[in-house]
Amino acid sequence: MSGSRQIGKTARNGRDQASDTRFGKTAGNRLDAIYRSISEAIIQHRLRPGARLREDALAEVFGVSRTGIRKVLQRLALEQLITLTPRRGASVTRPSADEAREVFEARLVVECALMEAAATRITEADISELRDMVKREHEALRNREQRIAIKLSASFHARLADISGNRTLAGFVNQLASRSSLILAVYGNAGNLGCESHDHKNLIDLLAAGDGAKAGDFMARHLKSIEASLSIFEEPEETPDLRELFAVDALSSN
Amino acid sequence: MSGSRQIGKTARNGRDQASDTRFGKTAGNRLDAIYRSISEAIIQHRLRPGARLREDALAEVFGVSRTGIRKVLQRLALEQLITLTPRRGASVTRPSADEAREVFEARLVVECALMEAAATRITEADISELRDMVKREHEALRNREQRIAIKLSASFHARLADISGNRTLAGFVNQLASRSSLILAVYGNAGNLGCESHDHKNLIDLLAAGDGAKAGDFMARHLKSIEASLSIFEEPEETPDLRELFAVDALSSN
DNA sequence: TCGTCCACCATTGTATACGTCGTTTGTGCA
DNA sequence: TGCACAAACGACGTATACAATGGTGGACGA
């Protein structure tokens, strides 16, 4: 037996990740709002991978100076949501196929391990909140509001990690879930947005029953099925893509 | 069975974490060097938890402007090595007891899971490099150079994670190992620097034999023994401590 | 003599200006 | 007509200047 490491013996509940006092933000609430705004836009695929994020434009839009924007961009870069190229500026990260596999491997390790603790520590309030999130996810799907559904799905996983009580690991999951959204944007097939909300419902039931082991197993299947639904292979490069496009034009116009 | 999730099926080797092109650093090699310099100073306990890091002073020491220093400090803050207090500046993080437990829980989850992949992917070159690190760690301990030993110990764990081939998880381990050094500084007992280098030697042997399961179990024991060797309880809190002190004063003065 | 209040100073937060580099476009030559 | 080089423009990197805030020390009053 090389697995089944138990966690979640700490006493704190750690559910206030939103207002982490650890960052410099005097009136930084402003910057934090900008961060969340851009982050959400990326997660919701309103900003597609490869999209350029010019500092001047962002500074003007949000009504702050480039200094503040740069701080936000640096944070986003550290979380791998955007890529900072030396003299080229920022662009939404286009995850490589390897990166995609890594992220799902990491989620498999971390999120499954957290289920044990989550099953122990979950409260009635948590359960109803999670059920509400699933309900809203269903509604968004019915209304074809995929962007909202994607955001809710990522939030669901992050929330689940919060419940486990380990802020550090929850932070990792939060980051991994965000990057997963990026991966879906690149390697996902149309109409398939990754998480089956039915899976999420099952997950809640298992946790509510206090069965952490089964919840962990189910989470593993859940994540593997998401990864299996993707088409993870190295896409055509940027420039080759343009050349191919030119070739098609040449054929059709001839 | 709720554990034993296998990882490490990716094909890339991912051992070049040092030069991550993801950050903005034109002549940012300079800034990166500053980052490593401060980071190492913290890991080696040359900068103790609570130490203030004034921007002007750092700017002068490293010969750059405050702008660059602020960038470095922000990165260190995101990795939780330093704490940025709004108008007070930066100081080396003093991990709370809960934080300490969280970090070791997280390491238990992540590092054990990585052993399976590491055992599969480890090469002869890796093995000799790791053995060399252990040797140098031994030497440092013999020479009472605890600072070097601490740094080598953290590097050993980070290197081990690199071998597993998952850069994302390796990055997590790197961060967790750094924070562990901080935890040792606060909750460690004198003369005990955490890792027994004998443990590290055993770990290499198990990996060299390709026994990932045993290596994972051994890593679990290793981490637990480190945590057990600490005195993790709420130390001198800032405000609570003062209040307690006041209470004692009031009693003794009456 | 002690407590309180005010003013100054130290330090960080924010913005702006300038230098450097990449990109793109235009022109000239083969 | 196609390619290559160069110049101009635009965007980022860095530094510096100014503004805001909190802490500290001194002075005044009770």
Side-chain angles (χ1 to χ4, degrees):
Chain A
M1 60 102 186
S2 70
S4 189
R5 325 261 178 230
Q6 296 244 354
I7 66 164
K9 304 180 199 83
T10 65
R12 190 179 27 66
N13 59 4
R15 300 187 184 171
D16 48 350
Q17 68 156 18
S19 66
D20 194 332
T21 180
R22 204 171 287 278
F23 296 113
K25 47 181 175 185
T26 306
N29 289 333
R30 177 68 57 93
L31 292 188
D32 209 53
I34 296 174
Y35 162 79
R36 281 195 302 271
S37 194
I38 299 178
S39 177
E40 189 174 284
I42 294 175
I43 291 172
Q44 292 190 347
H45 299 177
R46 287 175 42 100
L47 285 171
R48 305 279 305 178
R52 299 282 293 270
L53 297 169
R54 288 189 307 104
E55 296 179 355
D56 282 339
L58 292 173
E60 192 177 2
V61 166
F62 289 105
V64 295
S65 174
R66 275 181 53 214
T67 310
I69 294 296
R70 289 178 66 80
K71 194 188 279 189
V72 171
L73 290 181
Q74 208 205 357
R75 181 171 169 191
L76 288 166
L78 282 167
E79 296 177 0
Q80 316 252 324
L81 287 183
I82 67 174
T83 301
L84 258 39
T85 312
R87 294 275 177 179
R88 296 284 311 280
S91 60
V92 178
T93 298
R94 186 190 302 275
S96 70
D98 281 332
E99 230 175 302
R101 281 187 283 263
E102 279 181 8
V103 167
F104 276 97
E105 278 180 10
R107 291 187 65 172
L108 203 63
V109 168
V110 178
E111 294 199 61
C112 295
L114 285 176
M115 287 303 97
E116 201 81 48
T120 305
R121 302 171 49 86
I122 198 167
T123 67
E124 286 298 326
D126 293 329
I127 292 172
S128 48
E129 187 188 339
L130 288 173
R131 288 202 196 284
D132 184 57
M133 291 178 79
V134 171
K135 189 162 74 74
R136 281 190 289 157
E137 195 183 334
H138 263 296
E139 284 171 8
L141 279 178
R142 262 206 309 275
N143 300 342
R144 302 285 183 192
E145 298 169 327
Q146 294 212 345
R147 287 176 174 164
I148 297 177
I150 288 175
K151 170 72 179 165
L152 280 170
S153 180
S155 297
F156 178 85
H157 281 267
R159 191 73 190 72
L160 222 48
D162 273 347
I163 292 172
S164 76
N166 189 319
R167 287 184 204 180
T168 300
L169 283 172
F172 290 163
V173 170
N174 199 46
Q175 186 185 135
L176 292 171
S178 298
R179 291 176 68 185
S180 292
S181 177
L182 227 42
I183 292 166
L184 281 178
V186 176
Y187 302 104
N189 298 310
N192 175 10
L193 68 77
C195 288
E196 307 281 339
S197 51
H198 191 62
D199 276 11
H200 287 180
K201 191 173 174 305
N202 280 3
L203 219 36
I204 298 174
D205 290 338
L206 288 171
L207 289 174
D211 196 338
K214 271 191 186 158
D217 287 340
F218 192 83
M219 177 64 90
R221 284 199 296 276
H222 177 53
L223 291 172
K224 280 175 182 164
S225 82
I226 296 173
E227 190 180 0
S229 78
L230 301 178
S231 308
I232 301 182
F233 54 86
E234 288 298 341
E235 277 287 341
E237 303 298 320
E238 344 279 291
T239 35
D241 197 37
L242 290 181
R243 293 185 183 283
E244 183 182 359
L245 198 65
F246 280 136
V248 170
D249 273 359
L251 283 175
S252 63
S253 64
N254 281 351
Chain B
M1 60 103 186
S2 69
S4 188
R5 324 264 178 228
Q6 296 244 354
I7 66 166
K9 306 182 198 79
T10 65
R12 193 178 23 66
N13 59 3
R15 297 185 188 176
D16 47 350
Q17 68 156 19
S19 66
D20 195 331
T21 179
R22 206 170 284 278
F23 296 112
K25 47 180 173 184
T26 306
N29 289 334
R30 176 68 57 93
L31 291 189
D32 209 53
I34 296 173
Y35 162 79
R36 280 196 303 270
S37 194
I38 298 178
S39 176
E40 190 174 283
I42 294 175
I43 291 172
Q44 292 190 346
H45 299 178
R46 288 173 43 100
L47 286 170
R48 305 278 306 178
R52 297 281 294 271
L53 296 169
R54 288 190 307 106
E55 295 179 355
D56 280 338
L58 291 172
E60 192 177 1
V61 166
F62 290 106
V64 296
S65 175
R66 277 182 50 215
T67 308
I69 295 297
R70 290 179 65 81
K71 194 188 279 192
V72 171
L73 290 181
Q74 209 205 356
R75 180 170 169 192
L76 288 166
L78 283 167
E79 294 177 1
Q80 315 252 326
L81 287 183
I82 68 174
T83 301
L84 257 39
T85 313
R87 293 276 174 179
R88 295 286 309 279
S91 60
V92 178
T93 298
R94 185 191 302 276
S96 69
D98 281 331
E99 230 175 302
R101 282 187 283 264
E102 280 182 8
V103 167
F104 277 97
E105 279 180 9
R107 291 188 64 174
L108 203 63
V109 168
V110 178
E111 294 200 60
C112 295
L114 285 177
M115 287 303 97
E116 202 81 47
T120 306
R121 302 170 49 85
I122 198 167
T123 67
E124 285 300 326
D126 292 330
I127 292 172
S128 47
E129 185 186 341
L130 288 173
R131 287 201 196 283
D132 184 58
M133 292 178 79
V134 170
K135 190 162 72 71
R136 281 188 290 157
E137 195 183 335
H138 263 295
E139 285 171 7
L141 279 178
R142 262 204 309 275
N143 301 343
R144 301 285 183 192
E145 297 170 327
Q146 295 211 345
R147 287 177 174 163
I148 295 177
I150 288 176
K151 171 70 179 165
L152 280 171
S153 180
S155 297
F156 178 84
H157 281 267
R159 191 71 190 76
L160 222 48
D162 274 346
I163 292 172
S164 76
N166 189 319
R167 287 185 205 179
T168 300
L169 282 172
F172 289 164
V173 170
N174 199 47
Q175 186 186 135
L176 292 171
S178 298
R179 290 176 68 184
S180 292
S181 177
L182 227 40
I183 291 166
L184 282 178
V186 176
Y187 301 105
N189 299 309
N192 174 10
L193 68 76
C195 287
E196 307 282 337
S197 52
H198 191 61
D199 277 10
H200 286 181
K201 191 173 172 306
N202 280 4
L203 219 35
I204 298 174
D205 290 338
L206 288 171
L207 289 175
D211 197 337
K214 271 191 187 161
D217 286 341
F218 191 83
M219 177 65 89
R221 284 198 297 275
H222 176 54
L223 291 172
K224 279 175 183 165
S225 82
I226 296 173
E227 190 180 359
S229 77
L230 302 177
S231 309
I232 301 183
F233 52 87
E234 285 301 341
E235 269 286 340
E237 294 298 315
E238 339 280 294
T239 37
D241 195 39
L242 290 181
R243 292 184 183 283
E244 184 181 357
L245 198 65
F246 280 136
V248 171
D249 273 359
L251 284 175
S252 63
S253 64
N254 280 351

